[in-house]
Amino acid sequence: TELAAAGQLPTAETYLRMAAPAYPPARYYLATVLNARGRGDEAVREFDAFIATQPPQLAQVRTAHLLAADACMKLGRLDDAIGHWNALLSIHADDLDARIAVANALVRANRPADAIPHFERAVAARPHDGALLNGLGVAFIASGRVDDAIGAFERAVTVRSEEHTSELQSRET
């Protein structure tokens, strides 16, 4: 990992490949190096191999799922990314980053009805987040629930207006 931090990615990759069979956590670092080198497919395979050998509650497993999902998104593999976020949510149901990411990916995958419960849970956790309310509105409208979409968009505008007013007031003081 010190070699990777020093920018010596090819050398780091060589050593991590040698270490990985005997030391499974090396796969995590190898995956991050591969990802940094623009080799997303290989990185996802290494993240998956790492995840398969580690206890699910390990903090690095959370990060591996997030990084693998991000790599999948860059590769245009929406279903694989959604799979990683859902796997993470099965371990950590309150992971707001994963919940928001899977909701947005589900909308992009033309599965807005599946995104709605994720957006609703995210909005419940952050009720004054205009971007989440807007995402919920988009999912509603794409699902044909126009009245619900209007409500979500109205709340988003109200929240954004309150944020703007608060910001202006703080500048005046």
Side-chain angles (χ1 to χ4, degrees):
T1 59
E2 291 174 17
L3 290 169
Q8 298 179 16
L9 297 178
T11 305
E13 179 183 343
T14 299
Y15 284 114
L16 289 166
R17 282 194 187 282
M18 289 188 309
Y23 182 65
R27 290 188 178 281
Y28 172 85
Y29 298 107
L30 175 58
T32 61
V33 167
L34 292 168
N35 210 21
R37 297 189 73 195
R39 291 163 47 200
D41 279 324
E42 290 177 80
V44 170
R45 282 194 298 276
E46 291 299 331
F47 280 128
D48 287 343
F50 169 76
I51 290 165
T53 64
Q54 300 302 305
Q57 289 74 25
L58 186 69
Q60 278 184 318
V61 169
R62 176 190 181 273
T63 305
H65 276 298
L66 292 173
L67 292 172
D70 182 57
C72 288
M73 289 295 289
K74 289 177 183 170
L75 295 166
R77 293 170 31 192
L78 283 174
D79 288 338
D80 291 336
I82 290 166
H84 274 283
W85 285 312
N86 281 332
L88 178 54
L89 288 170
S90 74
I91 302 164
H92 303 285
D94 294 330
D95 192 307
L96 199 54
D97 294 331
R99 186 146 319 273
I100 294 166
V102 77
N104 285 314
L106 287 164
V107 170
R108 284 185 62 188
N110 201 26
R111 293 169 49 194
D114 294 335
I116 290 170
H118 293 289
F119 275 122
E120 289 175 330
R121 282 189 68 175
V123 167
R126 291 195 340 220
H128 301 291
D129 187 321
L132 288 178
L133 288 162
N134 187 65
L136 178 60
V138 168
F140 278 141
I141 206 154
S143 297
R145 294 173 56 182
V146 177
D147 290 339
D148 291 327
I150 291 169
F153 290 137
E154 286 175 344
R155 286 176 50 207
V157 170
T158 300
V159 165
R160 295 261 170 105
S161 176
E162 289 170 357
E163 289 172 358
H164 183 69
T165 300
S166 176
E167 183 180 316
L168 289 175
Q169 289 172 344
S170 69
R171 287 184 189 171
E172 291 175 358
T173 57

